């Protein structure tokens, strides 16, 4: 059936601010869906309250509403626009819940809006745990024994029937919120109460525990004719008991026999047919008893999910794009596969490589938090590795995490204590993968490791093989390391740094030696069809071929002028979706200037890793060795490092040393901002005030310096983002303790001590500069007092109570600093204002978290402008600036403290928010603003 002619305008509901359990995978899905619908001539209206997303950019929709995701704002939109249909499947649980609320209130019916991509009955069946259980039984599909409890008493009765261990799953929640395993009766009352409160409808499913069983997922698409395709199978490395968002996952499934896969495929199709007849996508989760292959259904999500983004990037098949077209009436056999550009979209992808996703956690931001992994998701992001085998993909995923590891093992950071290792194996936390490696390394038996982890033997053998290879390599030094062992190590994903550690050498020497041996990276294409058809989308990963005579390199280098943009890696607190926004706009601006754009990133959730965005996508770790090999292969004009946060900036020094051009602000100027001695000398020369400070490398020096600076002091390491390890200390004992902690966590780092200006107001300015002229794009005043990290503070654009003279000082300081540092591109300057004097706290000559916010509030594409300045294609005076200034835009930090119930909501100089929202007000008497302002001191801590 072709496109439904009755649908000419569609409302897409976004997912709101980033929280644990609902991250930028929905920005990717929503952006792709919006573009897909506009290709069909459909008017797209979009509502989302997250200003940091590409989804809320004017290029994606005809009308963008940066409004809270509430019924009254949906009504406001429906009053203004003739909306034919609503697509709620691209905005996670938030969008589905809002769609249900609007349906129950009769809003869709009143305004004649059709729900597409799913139906309300399907949402209710899948989200109401009891309805889901009963539907599965009706369909003849096995589920866990259990029932739904709507009261404390009912829950107690069900637990008595089932017996322990059991599991509690609240209805209508995201990321497993409120759920958990209960082993003993004495722990049940507290867990049940927590679950009932977590569910918005105050009901929980109490069911038998299948902890230790194997877990699998299938991604499905179904069109209006009932045609089905399975996009891919995903296997959880961790068994049941760890939320799939916190589990290492592998695609395609490694240990799933074809007979079981076919059974799962049939069950998944039966499940999707059973919940409704809508055209769209579904994610289905199964559990398998490893003793007898008994399959049970865990859940079905009738929307795009976290796993949909992973499956799209794993296969190259654009699930959200195709699902959006099916929602308006197209059938699969009427659509073209966008990757090949010639074959039908009605096919099941075939992949001749392996992908491994490893989650990224931020427990260090929440001291005292429960770090154990269970049914409630706690990770803040993820990295994905692609390789020709599981071991290569696993090593590349570990290299992508940016946790100061060079991969899985072979870096001298192993744990050696047997009891600690055993405890970690039995009680999964963020580092269990590394401790499995350590367990094999210290000689724990295979049986012990499997008994403690319940992880499939195949996966454990893969890690055991790595240890065996390392033992062989350690028998040699670099000069006599055999070709076969060097090649085997590279084919199993080992970084040059890891090999250097094993043979007692240096990374640069290993790199030189392996190239002399002819062991060089080749690049393969992700094409959905295992190279059966030619791919039109240049989406690549690296590997090492057995035959160097026939490298079979699928990434053909063009003779066009080209530029590399370094991405920001996995999401984490302090470096989130805002930097992906900047990377995407950097790529698009460079394309406008006639450059072939090359994106390097390893985050499967993001828009920057959508193959449609850049001319070439390398899905590789943003890790020196990988980046350098791509640069050597492509030979670009230069590299843009100022858009990808600290991940990209950390590459600047090496790039500069090797003579690789940094596009825009030079390494000399980038380092100026990090070297407090040089930066303060600059401020002194410019006659700009700054708090007294000093730099130390020992606790003794810190104590001595504190006697000159005076308390309170702000203590922080160099070269970090998101206020990592920042703290305000008020005496010598606290100072010494914190300096020792920083030196342990980040060895060989300069530690900065600043006199803290108590009672000051904080503000920040963002500017673009061409080296000769600077334009300030926005000044934001923080509503909370100085001492709370800028990412955790509410802020107003423009300032709401700074004097004209204070604003003048901010503007003058910003311009002076930008020009003196010869900035070409973006710069963010942070200020503390006390007694009418504006002090400079720090300057960052790069994209900041606030840039997307200012772009959205003022409706101007500042990252596009900044990139053209970096490339030397434009000057500041060439732009006709016309910011839309109307009232104030308030930045609202969003936290995920609910995932860490033992942690108090205390805010200080280290960032803890996971996302942000935007709220527009016309005047300062607005109720929302007055409430935020009245509570500005509530959570201040140190």
């Amino acid at each position: 059936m072709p496109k439904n002619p009755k649908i000419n305008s569609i409302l897409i509901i976004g997912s709101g601010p980033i929280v644990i359990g609902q991250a930028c995978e929905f920005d990717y899905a929503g952006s792709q869906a919006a573009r897909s619908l506009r290709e069909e001539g459909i008017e797209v209206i979009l509502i989302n309250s997250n200003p940091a997303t590409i989804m809320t950019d004017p290029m994606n929709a005809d009308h963008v509403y940066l409004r809270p995701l509430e019924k009254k704002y949906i009504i406001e939109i429906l009053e203004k626009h003739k909306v034919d249909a609503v697509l709620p499947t691209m905005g996670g649980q938030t969008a589905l819940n809002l769609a249900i609320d609007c349906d129950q209130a009769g809003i869709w019916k009143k305004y004649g809006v059709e729900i597409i991509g799913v139906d309300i009955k399907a949402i209710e069946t899948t989200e109401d745990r009891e309805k889901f259980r009963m539907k599965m039984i009706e369909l003849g599909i096995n589920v866990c024994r259990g029932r739904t409890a709507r009261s404390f008493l009912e829950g107690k009765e069900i637990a008595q029937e089932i017996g322990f261990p059991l599991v509690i799953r609240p209805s209508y929640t995201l990321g497993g919120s409120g759920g958990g395993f209960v082993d003993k009766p004495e722990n049940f009352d507290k867990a049940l109460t927590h679950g009932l409160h977590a569910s918005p409808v105050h009901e929980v499913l109490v069911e038998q525990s299948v902890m230790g069983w194997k877990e699998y997922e299938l991604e499905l698409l179904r069109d209006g004719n009932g045609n089905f395709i399975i996009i891919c199978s995903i296997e959880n490395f961790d068994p049941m008991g760890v939320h799939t968002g916190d589990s290492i996952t592998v695609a395609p499934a490694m240990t799933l026999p074809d007979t079981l896969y076919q059974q799962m495929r049939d069950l998944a199709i039966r499940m999707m047919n059973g919940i409704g007849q809508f055209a769209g996508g579904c994610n289905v989760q199964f559990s398998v008893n490893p003793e007898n292959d008994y399959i049970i259904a865990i859940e079905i999500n009738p929307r795009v999910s976290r796993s949909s983004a992973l499956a799209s990037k794993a296969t190259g098949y654009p699930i959200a794009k195709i699902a959006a077209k099916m929602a308006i009436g197209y059938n699969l056999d009427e659509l073209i596969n966008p990757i090949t550009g010639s074959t039908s979209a009605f096919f099941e992808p075939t992949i001749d490589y392996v992908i491994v996703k490893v989650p990224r956690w931020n427990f260090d931001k929440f001291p005292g938090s429960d770090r154990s992994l269970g049914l409630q998701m706690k990770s803040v992001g993820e990295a994905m590795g692609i390789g020709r085998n599981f071991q290569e993909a696993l090593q590349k995923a570990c290299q992508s995490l940016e946790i100061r590891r060079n991969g899985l093992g072979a870096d001298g950071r192993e744990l050696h204590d047997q009891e600690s290792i055993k405890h970690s194996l039995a009680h999964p936390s963020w580092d269990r993968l590394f401790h499995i490696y350590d367990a094999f390394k210290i000689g724990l038996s295979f049986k012990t490791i499997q008994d403690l982890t319940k992880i499939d033997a195949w996966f454990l053998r893969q890690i055991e093989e790595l240890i065996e290879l390392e033992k062989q390599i350690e028998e040699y030094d670099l000069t006599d390391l055999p070709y076969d062992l060097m090649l085997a190590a590279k084919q199993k994903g080992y970084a040059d740094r890891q090999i250097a550690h094993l043979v007692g050498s240096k990374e640069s020497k290993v790199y030189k030696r392996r190239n002399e041996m002819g062991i060089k990276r080749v690049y393969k294409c992700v094409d959905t069809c295992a190279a059966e058809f030619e791919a039109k989308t240049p989406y690549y990963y690296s590997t090492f071929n057995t035959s160097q005579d026939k490298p079979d390199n699928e990434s053909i280098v063009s003779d066009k002028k080209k530029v590399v943009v370094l991405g920001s890696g996995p999401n984490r607190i302090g470096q989130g979706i805002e930097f992906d926004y900047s990377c995407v706009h950097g790529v698009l601006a460079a394309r406008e200037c006639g450059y072939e754009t090359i994106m390097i990133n390893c985050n499967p959730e993001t828009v920057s890793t959508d193959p449609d965005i850049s001319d070439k996508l390398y899905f590789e770790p943003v890790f020196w060795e990988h980046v350098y090999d791509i640069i050597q292969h492509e030979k670009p004009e230069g590299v843009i490092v100022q858009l990808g946060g600290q991940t990209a900036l950390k590459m600047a020094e090496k790039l500069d040393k090797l003579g690789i051009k940094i596009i825009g602000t030079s390494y000399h100027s980038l380092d100026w901002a990090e070297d407090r001695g040089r930066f303060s000398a600059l401020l002194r020369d410019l006659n700009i005030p700054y708090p007294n400070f000093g730099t130390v490398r020992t606790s003794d020096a810190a104590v001595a310096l504190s006697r000159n600076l005076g308390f309170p002091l702000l203590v922080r390491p160099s070269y970090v983002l998101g206020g990592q390890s920042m703290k305000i200390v008020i005496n010598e004992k606290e100072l010494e303790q914190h300096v020792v902690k920083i030196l342990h966590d980040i060895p060989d780092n300069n530690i900065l001590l600043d006199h803290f200006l108590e009672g000051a107001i904080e503000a920040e300015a963002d500017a673009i500069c061409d080296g000769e002229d600077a334009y300030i794009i926005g000044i934001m005043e923080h509503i909370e007092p100085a001492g709370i990290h800028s990412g955790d503070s509410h802020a107003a654009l423009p300032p709401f109570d700074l004097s004209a003279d204070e604003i003048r000082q901010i503007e003058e300081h910003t311009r002076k600093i930008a020009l003196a540092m010869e900035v070409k591109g973006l710069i963010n300057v942070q200020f503390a204002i006390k007694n009418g004097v504006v002090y400079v706290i720090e300057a960052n000559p790069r994209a900041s978290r606030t840039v997307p916010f200012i772009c959205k509030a003022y409706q101007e594409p500042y990252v596009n402008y900044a990139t053209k300045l970096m490339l030397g294609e434009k000057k500041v005076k060439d732009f006709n600036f016309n910011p839309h200034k109307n009232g104030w835009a308030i930045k609202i930090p969003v936290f995920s403290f609910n995932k860490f119930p033992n942690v108090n909501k205390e805010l200080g100089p280290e960032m803890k928010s996971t996302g942000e929202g935007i709220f527009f007000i016309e005047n300062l008497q607005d109720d929302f603003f007055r409430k935020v302002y009245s509570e500005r001191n509530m959570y201040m801590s140190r």
Side-chain angles (χ1 to χ4, degrees):
M1 184 177 78
K3 187 181 89 173
N4 183 344
K6 294 178 182 174
I7 298 178
N8 297 301
S9 63
I10 291 177
L11 172 65
I12 297 178
I13 304 175
S15 59
I18 303 292
V19 291
I20 291 176
Q22 191 164 273
C24 52
E25 63 269 16
F26 297 108
D27 181 33
Y28 165 67
S31 301
Q32 205 177 68
R35 292 201 307 272
S36 180
L37 293 171
R38 291 183 86 191
E39 285 172 3
E40 302 300 329
I42 284 175
E43 180 186 29
V44 173
I45 302 123
L46 198 148
I47 180 170
N48 198 0
S49 57
N50 188 339
T53 59
I54 289 292
M55 181 188 194
T56 50
D57 235 39
M59 68 178 189
N60 271 324
D62 298 284
H63 309 281
V64 175
Y65 287 89
L66 283 159
R67 297 284 188 272
L69 294 170
E70 297 171 15
K71 286 199 295 275
K72 65 179 178 181
Y73 297 105
I74 297 285
I75 292 169
E76 188 181 290
I77 291 168
L78 298 180
E79 287 286 341
K80 283 185 185 175
H81 301 276
K82 171 69 180 81
V83 175
D84 296 319
V86 60
L87 183 64
T89 54
M90 303 293 163
Q93 199 63 49
T94 302
L96 286 187
N97 288 353
L98 180 56
I100 289 174
D101 285 351
C102 291
D103 186 67
Q104 290 173 346
I107 293 167
W108 306 130
K109 189 175 179 183
K110 178 182 175 183
Y111 291 92
V113 178
E114 181 187 350
I115 298 169
I116 58 172
V118 72
D119 60 45
I120 292 294
K121 183 169 162 283
I123 300 171
E124 289 174 345
T125 301
T126 55
E127 294 299 331
D128 183 310
R129 294 288 179 179
E130 182 64 13
K131 284 182 181 174
F132 169 73
R133 196 177 73 83
M134 295 308 294
K135 175 56 74 175
M136 293 304 105
I137 291 168
E138 178 193 319
L139 295 170
I141 295 169
N142 301 320
V143 287
C144 293
R145 285 188 305 115
R147 283 194 291 118
T148 297
R150 293 173 183 81
S151 69
F152 185 79
L153 179 62
E154 198 175 1
K156 295 275 282 183
E157 288 170 351
I158 298 166
Q160 200 169 331
E161 286 170 26
I162 297 170
F164 292 86
L166 50 77
V167 67
I168 291 173
R169 298 180 189 274
S171 295
Y172 292 93
T173 63
L174 187 82
S177 287
F181 287 92
V182 185
D183 290 328
K184 302 170 188 170
E186 53 266 33
N187 300 331
F188 181 72
D189 290 10
K190 183 181 175 184
L192 177 61
T193 302
H194 181 53
L196 286 167
H197 280 96
S199 167
V201 293
H202 308 300
E203 65 175 39
V204 298
L205 180 62
V206 181
E207 64 182 12
Q208 75 178 105
S209 167
V210 289
M211 204 166 180
W213 288 25
K214 295 166 77 166
E215 188 169 3
Y216 298 93
E217 299 177 61
L218 295 184
E219 285 292 325
L220 295 81
L221 281 176
R222 181 186 60 194
D223 65 21
N225 267 355
N227 296 314
F228 276 91
I229 55 170
I230 309 294
I231 303 301
C232 81
S233 60
I234 300 173
E235 178 169 4
N236 285 21
F237 172 93
D238 300 286
M240 288 292 294
V242 175
H243 188 281
T244 188
D246 279 348
S247 181
I248 296 157
T249 56
V250 189
M254 295 282 105
T255 72
L256 186 62
D258 189 56
T259 50
L260 267 189
Y261 170 71
Q262 295 302 334
Q263 283 182 53
M264 273 184 200
R265 192 179 185 285
D266 293 344
L267 290 172
I269 290 170
R270 200 189 312 168
M271 287 166 74
M272 193 172 179
N273 277 333
I275 63 169
Q277 293 304 310
F278 56 91
C282 262
N283 166 266
V284 185
Q285 294 175 27
F286 294 103
S287 184
V288 177
N289 186 337
E291 302 294 321
N292 56 16
D293 289 345
Y294 180 77
I295 303 174
I296 60 167
I298 300 297
E299 65 179 29
I300 179 168
N301 293 303
R303 57 173 169 81
V304 297
S305 65
R306 192 180 317 102
S307 298
S308 307
L310 185 72
S312 288
K313 301 297 169 66
T315 61
Y317 194 104
I319 294 172
K321 184 174 190 170
I322 300 296
K325 289 193 190 298
M326 293 195 312
I328 57 170
Y330 284 111
N331 291 320
L332 282 163
D333 55 3
E334 296 170 322
L335 298 170
I336 296 294
N337 171 11
I339 294 286
T340 63
S342 58
T343 57
S344 167
F346 186 22
F347 82 108
E348 298 192 344
T350 308
I351 59 179
D352 53 359
Y353 48 83
V354 179
I355 74 99
V356 175
K357 175 215 83 180
V358 179
R360 176 69 157 79
W361 291 270
N362 257 140
F363 288 118
D364 52 317
K365 297 281 186 181
F366 304 99
S369 59
D370 175 7
R371 296 188 174 203
S372 63
L373 304 181
L375 284 190
Q376 193 161 259
M377 185 174 163
K378 296 178 181 179
S379 62
V380 293
E382 61 193 38
M384 184 177 101
I386 312 180
R388 297 298 270 190
N389 57 65
F390 170 76
Q391 292 158 328
E392 184 179 29
L394 179 66
Q395 287 285 15
K396 287 169 80 172
C398 292
Q399 287 153 12
S400 303
L401 289 172
E402 294 178 69
I403 53 171
R404 298 191 297 280
R405 300 297 298 254
N406 293 329
L408 180 58
D411 60 2
R413 301 194 62 195
E414 296 90 353
L415 187 63
H416 299 287
D417 180 65
Q418 189 176 143
E419 290 312 308
S420 299
I421 290 172
K422 282 183 173 178
H423 183 269
S424 174
L425 299 187
H427 303 88
S429 187
W430 70 273
D431 49 3
R432 179 163 77 164
L433 171 63
F434 295 92
H435 293 159
I436 292 168
Y437 169 94
D438 297 341
F440 281 117
K441 187 110 180 184
I442 66 165
L444 274 187
S445 74
F446 191 98
K447 184 178 184 305
T448 298
I449 295 169
Q450 190 174 23
D451 286 348
L452 290 170
T453 62
K454 304 290 188 289
I455 291 169
D456 189 276
W458 187 88
F459 290 119
L460 296 178
R461 277 194 207 98
Q462 297 291 301
I463 296 172
E464 187 180 35
E465 279 178 18
L466 297 179
I467 305 291
E468 289 165 359
L469 176 65
E470 287 177 23
K471 285 176 183 171
Q472 292 177 60
I473 292 172
E474 285 172 329
E475 293 175 11
Y476 298 90
D477 60 28
L478 183 58
T479 54
D480 61 3
L481 182 65
Y483 175 91
D484 289 351
L485 283 181
M486 177 73 90
L487 180 61
K490 296 310 292 182
Q491 287 179 331
K492 290 179 186 291
Y494 278 86
D496 292 343
R497 279 182 211 170
Q498 290 172 290
I499 297 169
H501 174 78
L502 295 172
V503 298
S505 186
K506 290 183 176 176
E507 178 185 23
S508 56
K509 291 182 177 178
V510 173
Y511 176 82
K512 184 170 180 282
R513 178 75 182 122
R514 74 167 168 87
N515 276 279
E516 288 169 354
M517 294 166 118
I519 298 174
K520 298 179 181 181
R521 271 192 171 78
V522 295
Y523 297 96
K524 299 288 187 183
C525 190
V526 173
D527 61 7
T528 75
C529 56
E532 192 176 336
F533 300 97
E534 185 185 351
K536 294 281 188 282
T537 303
Y539 170 15
Y540 302 103
Y541 68 96
S542 73
T543 190
F544 290 84
N545 281 345
T546 48
S547 168
Q548 297 305 315
D549 300 331
K550 295 180 182 175
D552 193 22
N553 204 328
E554 295 172 9
S555 173
I556 308 303
V557 178
S558 76
D559 57 3
K560 298 175 186 171
K561 63 176 184 176
K562 48 183 85 76
V563 64
V564 166
V565 177
L566 294 183
S568 55
N571 265 27
R572 73 219 80 157
I573 292 172
Q575 187 167 300
I577 194 172
E578 305 87 353
F579 295 99
D580 197 67
Y581 172 93
S582 293
C583 287
V584 169
H585 277 286
V587 164
L588 297 176
R591 287 181 88 170
E592 284 177 28
C593 296
Y595 285 84
E596 181 179 291
T597 53
I598 298 162
M599 183 76 217
I600 305 174
N601 205 1
C602 54
N603 187 339
E605 302 176 300
T606 58
V607 177
S608 70
T609 53
D610 185 337
D612 287 352
I613 295 297
S614 52
D615 292 302
K616 273 187 166 180
L617 167 65
Y618 284 94
F619 206 111
E620 291 284 281
V622 190
F623 183 87
W624 173 250
E625 176 185 330
H626 296 272
V627 169
Y628 186 58
D629 273 349
I630 293 166
I631 291 168
Q632 293 294 95
H633 178 64
E634 290 284 354
K635 298 179 176 52
E637 305 283 314
V639 181
I640 293 177
V641 299
Q642 61 174 282
L643 301 177
Q646 209 64 35
T647 299
L649 279 181
K650 283 188 291 195
M651 302 275 171
E653 184 177 6
K654 277 192 174 179
L655 291 168
D656 186 64
K657 273 184 184 172
L658 290 165
I660 297 163
K661 184 181 178 185
I662 293 170
I663 302 282
T665 308
S666 69
Y667 168 68
H668 175 76
S669 295
L670 294 171
D671 190 57
W672 211 334
E674 294 290 350
D675 184 329
R676 281 311 291 254
R678 282 178 65 206
F679 182 60
S680 298
L682 174 72
L683 295 178
R684 197 163 49 243
D685 292 345
L686 295 172
N687 200 26
I688 293 173
Y690 57 90
N692 290 332
F693 86 100
T695 305
V696 299
R697 293 181 75 92
T698 68
S699 57
D700 287 340
V703 170
L705 178 62
S706 71
R707 290 167 186 163
N708 292 329
L709 297 177
F711 290 97
L713 288 170
L714 177 64
V715 184
R716 54 185 167 154
S718 297
Y719 290 98
V720 296
L721 199 69
Q724 182 188 340
S725 300
M726 268 196 205
K727 191 173 182 181
I728 298 166
V729 297
I730 57 172
N731 56 46
E732 289 184 4
K733 183 182 176 186
E734 282 190 2
L735 172 63
E736 187 173 354
Q737 283 175 345
H738 193 57
V739 168
V740 168
K741 182 180 184 301
I742 291 174
L743 290 171
H744 174 267
D745 292 346
I746 314 171
D748 302 320
N749 203 313
N750 284 334
I751 297 171
L752 314 173
L753 272 60
D754 293 86
H755 179 70
F756 176 64
L757 297 168
E758 265 190 298
I761 294 168
E762 277 197 46
E764 58 190 298
D766 284 284
I768 59 174
C769 186
D770 58 18
E772 298 164 4
D773 191 8
Y775 173 79
I776 293 165
I777 65 172
I779 298 170
M780 297 180 71
E781 179 183 353
H782 298 185
I783 296 172
E784 281 82 0
I788 291 179
H789 190 279
S790 59
D792 286 351
S793 192
H794 288 80
L797 175 75
F800 61 95
D801 70 351
L802 295 181
S803 70
D805 184 61
E806 288 164 344
I807 290 172
R808 178 192 60 77
Q809 289 179 64
I810 287 172
E811 290 174 342
E812 280 184 9
H813 295 348
T814 303
R815 283 197 185 92
K816 279 184 181 178
I817 291 167
L819 294 174
M821 290 176 66
E822 299 175 346
V823 168
K824 290 177 183 170
L826 290 150
I827 184 169
N828 169 271
V829 187
Q830 306 214 356
F831 304 94
I833 300 114
K834 189 169 183 178
N835 301 326
V837 178
V838 175
Y839 297 86
V840 169
I841 302 173
E842 65 181 26
N844 296 299
R846 56 163 171 79
S848 70
R849 265 180 303 277
T850 42
V851 166
F853 185 93
I854 297 168
C855 292
K856 299 296 172 61
Y858 285 169
Q859 298 175 37
E860 291 212 297
Y862 297 120
V863 181
N864 179 291
Y865 296 168
T867 305
K868 289 170 181 173
L869 298 179
M870 288 179 221
L871 293 165
E873 298 283 329
K874 296 278 187 183
K875 294 286 187 182
V876 167
K877 66 177 185 294
D878 295 330
F879 298 113
N880 180 25
F881 297 104
N882 183 29
H884 290 65
K885 296 185 178 181
N886 181 22
W888 286 263
I890 308 299
K891 187 200 80 176
I892 308 164
V894 174
F895 301 88
S896 294
F897 282 106
N898 61 318
K899 297 288 182 179
F900 306 103
N902 301 329
V903 178
N904 291 330
K905 185 182 175 182
E906 294 176 351
L907 304 179
E910 180 156 5
M911 186 173 164
K912 294 180 179 178
S913 60
T914 51
E916 63 184 43
I918 191 169
F919 190 78
F920 293 95
I921 62 170
E922 292 178 4
N923 56 64
L924 298 176
Q925 284 68 53
D926 183 272
D927 289 345
F928 174 78
F929 177 78
R930 299 312 306 170
K931 182 175 186 295
V932 169
Y933 187 76
S934 70
E935 294 174 353
R936 66 192 182 282
N937 295 307
M938 270 179 70
Y939 300 110
M940 175 73 172
S941 178
R942 292 183 286 114

